[in-house]
Structures are given as structure tokens and as C-alpha cells.
Amino acid sequence: MELVDIILHLDQHIPEWITFFGPWLYVILFLIIFAETGLVVTPFLPGDSLLFALGAFTTMENGLNLWILLSSLTIAGILGDTVNYHIGKYLGPKVFEGNSRIFKRQYLDQTHAFYEKWGAFTIVAARFAPIVRTFAPFVAGIGEMKYRRFLLYNVIGAIAWVFLFVLAGHFFGNLPVVKRNFHVVIFGVIGVSLLPMVWPWISSKLKK
């Protein structure tokens, strides 16, 4: 519940973090994005909503530096996926055996469904889908996708993901209507991000 509160009220928490952590906040944010994309045990960490909220605080006095955010978080996303790819390559599907609460087979199946639809472009498309974003590079490693090909899509995806959400927050996050309804906007960002995951289920229900 604490994590949910933080995600929904990022506009209240980020100023506190800026004051408390100072420049070290960039290191913490780097680690959050790295873990969210690079470790299959942390798919619950905020991604899209955090990037949007951070972008909103780049236009304020004593706020965050836009270019440091864009560069550091893009690198974090690239490194995270790279580590995840190699973990998948060396550990393989063994970690999904049994009934683990963290390594849920359901997550792996959702990611496989993404690959069936998008192919190698999944590495880019999955950046915009929570949970799948965390497992896509892992599955790429399991499937032994050629590393050069993976790296190309990894870099494109990280740049597109970070720049899109951070710049959206930068340009739209301080509009009066957004500031007044920031938690609603965050809900919207999360909802849109979840669409690629829930649409196949909705589509199958509609067909029935």
C-alpha cells in the first residue's frame, strides 16, 4: 500500500526526495529504472508513471535537470535490459519451475504472447508495457536472440521510452489541469501502459 501511495502521489513525494537526497537522487532514480528493467524480481517498480512525474519537475526552480535525467535514465534502461538478457541466457527457464510467487509462469507466458505478435520488435514495444518490459529481455536471452540484434532494439526502445515519458511530463506536467488532477493523470498513464497486456484478454472475451 505504501508503494501504491507513492506512485499515485509522486507529485508530493518527488519534491521531498529532491530536498532530502539532493544530487544523489539521480543515482537512486538510475538504480530504480535499472532494477525495473534489469531484474525479473522487481517488475512492480514504477516505470512510465515515474518518468512522466520526473519530467514535470524539470521545469521548476531548484527542480531536476532535464538532460541529466534523459541521459542517465536512458543508460539505466539500456544496461538493465542488457543484464536481464544475459541472466535469461545463462539461467534459462529453470527459474520459472515450481510455484514461485516472484517468478510467475503467467508473466513468462504473457511475454511469449508479445513475441508471437511483435517478433524481435518486442524489445521496443515491451518498453511501454509494465511487467512485459521486465521479462522481454529475459525471454530474448532464453531464446538466444543474437546479441547485436537485441542491442539495437534495446537502445532504440530505451531512448523512445525515456524520452517520450520524460518529455511528456516536461511539456504537459505543469499545465494547471494536470497539476490539479495529477493522481488521475498517473492513473491514466498506468492504464494506457497496461492496455497492450489486457487487450488480448478483452479481445478474446469480445470474440466469444
Side-chain angles (χ1 to χ4, degrees):
M1 289 306 296
E2 242 179 85
L3 182 62
V4 172
D5 175 72
I6 289 172
I7 294 170
L8 294 180
H9 299 96
L10 283 166
D11 56 322
Q12 298 171 21
H13 293 291
I14 290 175
E16 297 171 3
W17 299 342
I18 292 171
T19 302
F20 186 79
F21 294 110
W24 285 102
L25 181 57
Y26 293 107
V27 178
I28 295 167
L29 295 172
F30 180 97
L31 293 174
I32 290 173
I33 296 301
F34 172 83
E36 201 259 356
T37 57
L39 305 174
V40 288
V41 295
T42 52
F44 53 83
L45 289 173
D48 307 340
S49 54
L50 178 62
L51 295 176
F52 180 87
L54 292 171
F57 283 88
T58 58
T59 59
M60 299 180 178
E61 192 178 345
N62 299 320
L64 297 166
N65 183 286
L66 177 63
W67 296 108
I68 293 177
L69 273 185
L70 289 172
S71 57
S72 63
L73 300 186
T74 298
I75 292 169
I78 293 169
L79 290 179
D81 265 25
T82 300
V83 168
N84 214 342
Y85 171 90
H86 288 294
I87 291 173
K89 187 175 181 179
Y90 292 108
L91 289 185
K94 293 177 185 176
V95 293
F96 289 95
E97 292 172 1
N99 242 348
S100 170
R101 292 176 64 185
I102 297 173
F103 301 105
K104 292 186 178 180
R105 184 81 199 181
Q106 160 197 357
Y107 296 160
L108 190 60
D109 294 338
Q110 285 175 343
T111 309
H112 272 303
F114 244 70
Y115 270 100
E116 285 176 17
K117 183 174 183 180
W118 297 100
F121 192 70
T122 295
I123 302 300
V124 176
R127 287 283 185 183
F128 301 89
I131 298 179
V132 174
R133 172 168 57 239
T134 306
F135 286 91
F138 186 85
V139 174
I142 292 174
E144 297 185 349
M145 179 189 291
K146 287 186 178 178
Y147 181 68
R148 284 186 180 179
R149 192 179 187 202
F150 167 81
L151 185 61
L152 172 65
Y153 286 110
N154 178 15
V155 172
I156 293 171
I159 293 172
W161 179 53
V162 173
F163 274 64
L164 177 67
F165 282 101
V166 171
L167 291 177
H170 176 78
F171 289 113
F172 303 110
N174 287 293
L175 294 176
V177 65
V178 174
K179 290 178 77 172
R180 284 195 304 269
N181 303 282
F182 203 84
H183 66 289
V184 177
V185 174
I186 293 300
F187 258 125
V189 170
I190 295 170
V192 170
S193 301
L194 289 172
L195 268 179
M197 290 176 58
V198 300
W199 178 248
W201 178 82
I202 295 171
S203 181
S204 66
K205 292 292 181 184
L206 289 173
K207 284 177 184 175
K208 287 180 182 178

